[in-house]
Amino acid sequence: MPQTLFINATIACLDSESGYGLREHGALLVEAGKIAWLGAMQDQPAVSDAEVIDCAGRLLTPGLIDCHSHLVYGGDRADEFEMRLEGASYAEIAQRGGGIISTVNATRAASEAELFAQALPRLNSLLAEGVTTVEIKSGYGLDSGNEIKMLRVARQLGSEFQIRVQKTFLGAHALPPEYAGRSDDYIERVCVEMLPRAHAEGLVDAVDVFIESIAFSLEQGAKVFACAQALGLPIKAHVEQLSDLGGAVMAAQRGALSVDHIEYLAATDVASLAQNETVAVLLPGAFYVLRETQLPPLTALREHKVPMALASDANPGSSPVTSLLLIMNMACTLFRMTPAEALRGVTINAARALGLATEIGSIEVGKQADIVLWNVTKPSMLSYQIGINPCAAVMQAGNWRSQAGLSR
Ligand SMILES: [Zn+2]
């Protein structure tokens, strides 16, 4: 049975209720794809033919988890970005075919192979920084065939790269142009046709809805959730990004894994997240790109001990970001989160947001051996620097995915 023994490591275990769960001069044994032993270096188990990695004091963390991304899509929105900065109004941009519908059109026009090829550099960017699990949403197809196409590409990315990809159905992301003025009819189609078909192909790990004045109403969101739960699927939601429609409370009361964005969530509604063990997923990339000023209710989230996760929200419009290290820095700089909260946000709390916290997200005996070795000795370095990638080696389920920086 292949074994790997890490010695002389600074290990951020993320196994405690707060902070890093830091172990200095630690050792860690990986066996059969799992963490088999963890402790002080002087107590390390006797192993005869294990691969031994001397970390020389460097940092080990769990593999990073991007728990909210729209990584698969066609085209880009660089022209729109440029037009806006040259002074074009939103109406002009929409008139010239910009906005989310341009991404829907490009995604519908692309083949599976084209979507796969376009997603590759984005996924590689995440993986280069130690990501081992990525959630990928549909939501730019907006009909059965195209939503299924997106989710197949997400599945293929997971199998080709041997990483964990969680596939989220987001049929209720935007109203497709052919349903203009008939949003209830579209939600009906999502519920009776699109979601059941994607689910029947085994392509749905969770169901998401965008509840917002520019997307779907509270009642429409609740209807999609009821359909998802009738199929036994977990739910999550884009809520309170631009206004407070009460989506977070509605989703939490239905047992949502997470509520995402939540800049406009009222502090008085945070208790509902705590009561229902719903994770708050914060997305500073979109906050930055949209130059938002309304901060998520950090004080109330901390008071109620609501787990806070962070994610890239990688998408072509509001968050063309594929760096979780940059997201960690943005969370600290823009939201005043601590570096420990930021690291928890992309490890254990991201795992919770995906319903996977018993398997991944921390370094604990029995969990899957998704482990990153970093060329730093303190975990705060991961949030502090911008533009340096200190990822030295990545182990995924006990196998080396990259090991260029093992020795130095
Ligand atoms: Zn999103």
Side-chain angles (χ1 to χ4, degrees):
M1 193 178 295
Q3 291 180 318
T4 303
L5 179 66
F6 294 87
I7 59 167
N8 200 12
T10 304
I11 310 175
C13 295
L14 286 307
D15 59 347
S16 44
E17 278 309 299
S18 62
Y20 297 118
L22 203 63
R23 285 172 183 263
E24 295 186 60
H25 312 291
L28 163 62
L29 179 69
V30 171
E31 192 177 270
K34 302 226 159 148
I35 294 161
W37 184 89
L38 172 69
M41 203 177 145
Q42 71 260 22
D43 303 328
Q44 70 194 57
V47 285
S48 48
D49 51 291
E51 173 189 29
V52 178
I53 309 293
D54 184 348
C55 300
R58 286 182 291 170
L59 178 70
L60 292 180
T61 70
L64 304 191
I65 300 169
D66 191 355
C67 66
H68 179 141
S69 95
H70 308 254
L71 205 74
V72 172
Y73 57 83
D76 64 74
R77 305 253 285 277
D79 291 346
E80 188 180 314
F81 176 73
E82 189 163 21
M83 276 193 284
R84 198 177 319 133
L85 289 166
E86 286 170 352
S89 69
Y90 280 92
E92 285 169 320
I93 290 169
Q95 241 169 24
R96 290 197 247 166
I100 190 168
I101 292 308
S102 73
T103 300
V104 172
N105 291 336
T107 303
R108 285 177 170 180
S111 67
E112 269 182 48
E114 285 164 344
L115 288 179
F116 183 88
Q118 290 178 38
L120 271 188
R122 301 192 279 266
L123 181 61
N124 277 323
S125 165
L126 288 173
L127 299 188
E129 291 182 349
V131 168
T132 49
T133 297
V134 188
E135 185 256 19
I136 301 178
K137 301 175 195 296
S138 69
Y140 296 115
L142 309 182
D143 62 33
S144 284
N146 285 301
E147 290 287 293
I148 285 171
K149 177 175 72 179
M150 290 183 72
L151 293 169
R152 282 186 187 147
V153 173
R155 178 171 63 187
Q156 194 192 348
L157 288 166
S159 56
E160 299 248 337
F161 284 81
Q162 296 287 297
I163 56 163
R164 192 189 291 245
V165 169
Q166 290 295 108
K167 303 172 296 299
T168 299
F169 174 84
L170 179 59
H173 189 199
L175 189 65
E178 61 273 20
Y179 277 87
R182 294 189 294 131
S183 62
D184 282 337
D185 291 350
Y186 178 64
I187 289 297
E188 179 71 13
R189 187 167 173 203
V190 166
C191 288
V192 303
E193 185 205 316
M194 292 164 58
L195 173 58
R197 278 181 60 181
H199 176 56
E201 263 203 47
L203 289 167
V204 184
D205 298 311
V207 174
D208 195 343
V209 179
F210 187 15
I211 296 169
E212 191 55 72
S213 52
I214 58 165
F216 297 99
S217 70
L218 204 58
E219 294 70 29
Q220 289 168 332
K223 183 168 178 190
V224 176
F225 287 159
C227 299
Q229 291 180 320
L231 296 171
L233 293 167
I235 57 169
K236 43 180 53 231
H238 288 67
V239 286
E240 271 75 84
Q241 181 186 5
L242 308 168
S243 60
D244 185 359
L245 294 187
V249 170
M250 185 277 282
Q253 286 173 346
R254 283 163 173 74
L257 286 175
S258 71
V259 289
D260 302 31
H261 285 292
I262 64 168
E263 281 89 338
Y264 283 82
L265 176 63
T268 46
D269 283 338
V270 168
S272 161
L273 274 55
Q275 281 153 18
N276 295 287
E277 296 182 21
T278 297
V279 177
V281 177
L282 307 179
L283 304 169
F287 179 92
Y288 165 81
V289 169
L290 299 174
R291 306 182 79 227
E292 294 286 346
T293 53
Q294 173 77 30
L295 289 164
L298 263 290
T299 306
L301 290 168
R302 286 179 180 134
E303 260 170 28
H304 289 275
K305 295 190 164 47
V306 174
M308 295 184 282
L310 292 170
S312 69
D313 194 17
N315 78 72
S318 62
S319 188
V321 178
T322 51
S323 165
L324 278 191
L325 295 180
L326 178 58
I327 290 292
M328 290 166 73
N329 178 272
M330 285 180 175
C332 296
T333 306
L334 299 172
F335 295 167
R336 313 309 286 169
M337 285 171 70
T338 66
E341 287 171 333
L343 186 58
R344 298 179 70 80
V346 295
T347 54
I348 185 62
N349 289 343
R352 287 183 175 133
L354 297 175
L356 295 174
T358 57
E359 295 173 58
I360 56 173
S362 60
I363 294 184
E364 290 179 79
V365 171
K367 282 206 174 176
Q368 182 169 307
D370 292 353
I371 295 166
V372 185
L373 173 65
W374 304 91
N375 283 328
V376 298
T377 55
K378 318 179 264 205
S380 56
M381 290 291 282
L382 300 180
S383 291
Y384 160 72
Q385 300 185 115
I386 303 175
I388 284 183
N389 179 6
C391 179
V394 182
M395 176 176 270
Q396 177 110 28
N399 299 309
W400 289 111
R401 198 180 76 209
S402 80
Q403 46 185 330
L406 270 191
S407 54
R408 55 188 336 200

